[in-house]
């Protein structure tokens, strides 16, 4: 029970990586606040996860909505000891064809969203005392660029450096901040990146071939890393970008 008694907020918690992280944290003794923009999916996730969860609907790009969601979760959990920013969106678009509205939309979720949650949660984490943890879910695309994903790569690279700077700013509060950079993970977001190709299986094989470990990662692979970075086992780790990417970042 590595998270016994801890109260942790997870965004993007209705599916994919966020839901897997929430489930793992619950199994390790945490109480978890779920945030997602889809009310129906969030309700289903909360019911499936069961005891120990509370939830609040919010689009992380909306600062006021995030503040309200955090306040509601704190009212139920009694405080916050950690956060995991897992909400994110992708965009496959050649730069020359990208309207500025799409650029801003991607950064609003992938980079502004973690800023909003960290700011809203910080006063509560300070009140909880030293030992707070922030885990941001970026991407291997924040370490190594991809074709036709200018906005996505920029947002995830920004999230990596945001986390490192945050680790410095919050060290005096005893709060650690780290970022995970996943490779291809079996989620609805990843499936959407190849299912519309003329030959989806050929496209999946082409993507997988870039990796040293020739398989698609699972949400639980990222949940394991998030558990480590949110627990006392990583008490001497902060400002780290942990690539959980099947070797893609060096291959």
């Amino acid at each position: 029970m590595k998270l016994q008694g801890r109260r942790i907020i997870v965004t993007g918690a209705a599916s994919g990586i966020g839901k897997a992280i929430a489930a793992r944290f619950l199994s390790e003794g945490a109480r978890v606040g779920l945030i997602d923009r889809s009310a129906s999916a969030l309700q289903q996730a909360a019911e499936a996860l069961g005891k120990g969860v509370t939830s609040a609907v919010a689009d992380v790009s909306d600062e006021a909505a995030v503040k309200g969601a955090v306040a509601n979760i704190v009212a139920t959990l009694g405080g916050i000891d950690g956060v995991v920013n897992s909400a994110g969106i992708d965009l496959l678009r050649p730069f020359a064809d990208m309207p500025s509205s799409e650029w801003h939309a991607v950064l609003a979720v992938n980079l502004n969203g973690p800023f909003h949650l960290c700011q809203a949660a910080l006063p509560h984490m300070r009140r909880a005392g030293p030992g707070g943890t922030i885990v941001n879910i970026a991407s291997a695309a924040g370490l190594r660029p991809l074709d036709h994903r200018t906005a996505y790569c920029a947002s995830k690279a920004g999230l990596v450096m945001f986390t490192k700077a945050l680790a410095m700013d919050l060290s005096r509060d005893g709060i650690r901040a780290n970022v995970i950079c996943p490779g291809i993970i079996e989620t609805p977001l990843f499936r959407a990146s190849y299912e519309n190709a003329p030959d989806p299986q050929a496209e999946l094989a082409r993507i997988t071939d870039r990796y040293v470990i020739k398989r698609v990662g699972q949400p639980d692979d990222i949940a394991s890393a998030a558990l480590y970075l949110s627990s006392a086992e990583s008490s001497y780790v902060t400002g780290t970008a942990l690539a959980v990417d099947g070797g893609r970042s060096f291959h």
Side-chain angles (χ1 to χ4, degrees):
M1 304 294 280
K2 298 175 182 178
L3 300 179
Q4 186 66 48
R6 289 179 63 78
R7 303 152 299 181
I8 301 177
I9 291 179
V10 180
T11 68
S15 64
I17 290 172
K19 185 178 179 181
I21 290 172
R24 180 67 65 83
F25 283 14
L26 286 165
S27 73
E28 292 288 346
R31 289 185 292 156
V32 181
L34 314 176
I35 294 179
D36 200 278
R37 65 182 180 181
S38 171
S40 59
L42 188 60
Q43 181 179 354
Q44 291 175 7
E47 291 173 353
L49 291 169
K51 186 178 179 180
V53 303
T54 185
S55 62
V57 177
D59 184 328
V60 296
S61 67
D62 184 335
E63 183 175 10
V66 170
K67 287 182 177 178
V70 169
N72 289 338
I73 290 170
V74 168
T76 300
L77 299 184
I80 302 172
D81 301 293
V83 301
V84 178
N85 283 291
S86 184
I89 59 173
D90 194 6
L91 174 66
L92 181 62
R93 182 86 68 205
F95 176 73
D97 301 330
M98 184 189 303
S100 62
S101 60
E102 289 186 343
W103 169 272
H104 290 300
V106 172
L107 267 67
V109 173
N110 293 356
L111 190 53
N112 294 355
F115 167 81
H116 294 154
L117 180 64
C118 289
Q119 276 221 325
L122 182 57
H124 305 288
M125 294 177 69
R126 281 173 166 162
R127 279 195 287 273
T133 56
I134 294 170
V135 177
N136 294 322
I137 309 299
S139 169
L143 304 174
R144 181 170 180 165
L146 298 172
D147 289 342
H148 298 163
R149 281 186 167 86
T150 310
Y152 183 76
C153 291
S155 68
K156 294 302 188 178
L159 185 55
V160 170
M161 190 53 66
F162 167 72
T163 306
K164 291 177 178 289
L166 196 62
M168 296 183 69
D169 275 9
L170 301 185
S171 62
R172 63 182 60 88
D173 296 305
I175 297 172
R176 298 183 295 109
N178 293 285
V179 58
I180 299 171
C181 298
I184 49 173
I185 304 297
E186 185 59 43
T187 65
L189 187 64
F190 171 64
R191 287 194 294 274
S193 71
Y194 70 86
E195 284 184 339
N196 293 326
D199 186 339
Q201 290 307 309
E203 177 64 10
L204 178 60
R206 184 187 71 82
I207 294 171
T208 307
D209 191 56
R210 301 170 180 167
Y211 291 76
V212 175
I213 299 175
K214 304 298 184 183
R215 69 170 176 87
V216 177
Q218 297 300 311
D220 277 346
D221 293 320
I222 308 305
S224 295
L227 172 60
Y228 168 68
L229 293 173
S230 298
S231 74
E233 290 188 351
S234 61
S235 62
Y236 199 50
V237 179
T238 196
T240 289
L242 177 59
V244 185
D245 66 350
R248 171 60 178 156
S249 56
F250 72 86
H251 179 53

